[in-house]
Amino acid sequence: IDCIMNTFKKVTALAIVILWILLILTTLIVAFINTETARTLLKGLIVIDICLPVVGYAIRLMTHLLSKK
């Protein structure tokens, strides 16, 4: 079961990295669109681009601290 769990963690991590790269590319594409809706979307995407890694790091830190014995 440890092998399955390690594989699951690797696949999940890879999927998250791919989705994060797509999110950043989407932010870059939207930055070049000059409409009011795109500006609003760009503001939200920038916030997500910053907050997502911070929240991920906080979760990783908390699980590391809570799993210590």
Side-chain angles (χ1 to χ4, degrees):
I1 194 148
D2 287 336
C3 181
I4 294 171
M5 189 56 111
N6 287 336
T7 305
F8 176 74
K9 287 180 184 179
K10 288 178 184 179
V11 170
T12 305
L14 182 63
I16 290 171
V17 168
I18 291 171
L19 290 174
W20 189 45
I21 290 170
L22 288 174
L23 180 66
I24 291 173
L25 288 174
T26 303
T27 304
L28 289 173
I29 292 168
V30 170
F32 291 108
I33 301 173
N34 194 15
T35 63
E36 190 61 38
T37 306
R39 284 190 198 126
T40 305
L41 180 60
L42 181 63
K43 290 175 188 175
L45 285 169
I46 290 172
V47 169
I48 292 172
D49 285 341
I50 294 170
C51 291
L52 193 64
V54 171
V55 170
Y57 179 74
I59 291 171
R60 182 174 172 247
L61 184 64
M62 289 303 295
T63 56
H64 179 72
L65 290 174
L66 293 174
S67 67
K68 279 187 174 179
K69 294 183 179 179

